[in-house]
């Protein structure tokens, strides 16, 4: 990815947060945010009980200081003893896990009739990906410039936030989704992101 000057960099994950929240059902009984980081998304989820988990002890320590209304867990989502939830979210966290194992785990944590929503990163690999760059690169700079003028630029992510510099390709994500969460709505997004929305089948 072409790096902008520091003052023009901004948080691409926050760009999709309002969209992500609109995908969640109202009146959910329970919600789980996977890879919660500093807890911005977890604190915004409207559910009777919200749980947030992250593998970084430092992120959980800092997030837990911001709200007592969320159950904060330091642990590995792949192995931690968790229940099933009406809502499961993963914002820029699935690429921290092995793709198929991670997606299967997220699906397994979603209760029957519940909703899984992922906003993730993908690695450029196809001509369509490269064609998208013709729009994404100038749009990235433009948004960065607007935010800089408004005084909110220069903060792409917290310096203590763990960063993984690799991600699966979109074809790999599509193949995994077709196998593990059939029927999921998977869309390419700008700013090197994709979205996935899946409703777990009801049990009859």
């Amino acid at each position: 990815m072409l790096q902008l000057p520091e003052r023009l960099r901004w948080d691409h994950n926050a760009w999709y947060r309002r969209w992500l929240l609109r995908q969640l059902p109202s009146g959910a009984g329970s919600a789980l945010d996977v890879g919660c980081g500093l807890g911005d998304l977890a604190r915004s989820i409207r559910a009777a009980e919200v749980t947030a988990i992250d593998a970084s002890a430092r992120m959980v320590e800092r997030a837990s200081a911001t709200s007592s209304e969320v159950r904060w867990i330091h642990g590995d989502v792949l192995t931690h003893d968790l229940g099933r939830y009406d809502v499961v979210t993963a914002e820029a966290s699935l690429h921290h896990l092995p793709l198929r194992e991670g997606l299967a785990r997220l699906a397994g944590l979603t209760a029957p009739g519940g909703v899984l929503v992922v906003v993730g990163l993908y690695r450029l690999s196809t001509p369509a990906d490269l064609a998208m760059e013709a729009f994404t690169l100038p749009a990235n700079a433009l948004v960065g410039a607007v935010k800089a003028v408004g005084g909110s630029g220069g903060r792409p992510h917290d310096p203590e936030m763990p960063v993984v510099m690799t991600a699966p390709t979109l074809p790999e994500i599509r193949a995994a989704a077709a196998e593990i969460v059939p029927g999921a709505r998977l869309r390419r997004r700008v700013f090197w992101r994709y979205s996935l929305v899946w409703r777990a089948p009801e049990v009859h």
Side-chain angles (χ1 to χ4, degrees):
M1 185 191 307
L2 181 65
Q3 289 291 334
L4 295 173
E6 183 67 30
R7 64 187 180 85
L8 297 183
R9 297 180 193 176
W10 55 281
D11 185 353
H12 298 105
N13 299 321
W15 181 266
Y16 289 107
R17 193 163 296 140
R18 288 185 181 179
W19 173 88
L20 190 158
L21 291 168
R22 288 198 301 270
Q23 310 313 303
L24 307 184
S26 59
S30 59
L32 173 69
D33 183 38
V34 176
C36 64
L38 292 173
D40 294 336
L41 174 58
R43 290 190 300 273
S44 300
I45 295 173
R46 296 293 172 255
E49 296 180 357
V50 179
T51 300
I53 185 169
D54 200 286
S56 167
R58 179 57 177 159
M59 290 294 101
V60 172
E61 177 188 10
R62 292 177 59 189
S64 63
T66 67
S67 174
S68 60
E69 297 182 2
V70 177
R71 178 190 176 209
W72 305 100
I73 297 175
H74 169 225
D76 183 345
V77 69
L78 296 178
T79 59
H80 199 87
D81 185 15
L82 296 162
R84 302 182 85 179
Y85 302 83
D86 300 323
V87 165
V88 176
T89 59
E91 182 184 79
S93 59
L94 183 54
H95 69 288
H96 286 256
L97 306 172
L99 174 59
R100 288 177 178 271
E101 185 180 1
L103 186 57
R105 176 60 167 160
L106 296 183
L109 292 169
T110 308
V115 176
L116 166 64
V117 184
V118 176
V119 173
L121 284 71
Y122 71 90
R123 177 166 48 87
L124 304 182
S125 68
T126 69
D129 296 340
L130 300 178
M132 177 67 85
E133 290 288 84
F135 172 81
T136 298
L137 291 175
N140 187 44
L142 177 60
V143 173
V146 170
K147 287 182 175 292
V149 170
S152 60
R155 293 189 291 272
H157 57 77
D158 188 276
E160 291 190 317
M161 188 81 72
V163 176
V164 173
M165 299 304 294
T166 187
T169 67
L170 207 51
E172 290 170 339
I173 295 163
R174 286 193 175 113
E179 176 185 327
I180 298 167
V181 285
R185 302 197 312 272
L186 179 62
R187 290 184 56 189
R188 181 200 309 273
R189 302 279 181 168
V190 295
F191 306 127
W192 306 280
R193 299 298 187 272
Y194 70 91
S195 65
L196 181 150
V197 180
W198 177 71
R199 183 172 293 276
E202 298 274 4
V203 175
H204 299 289

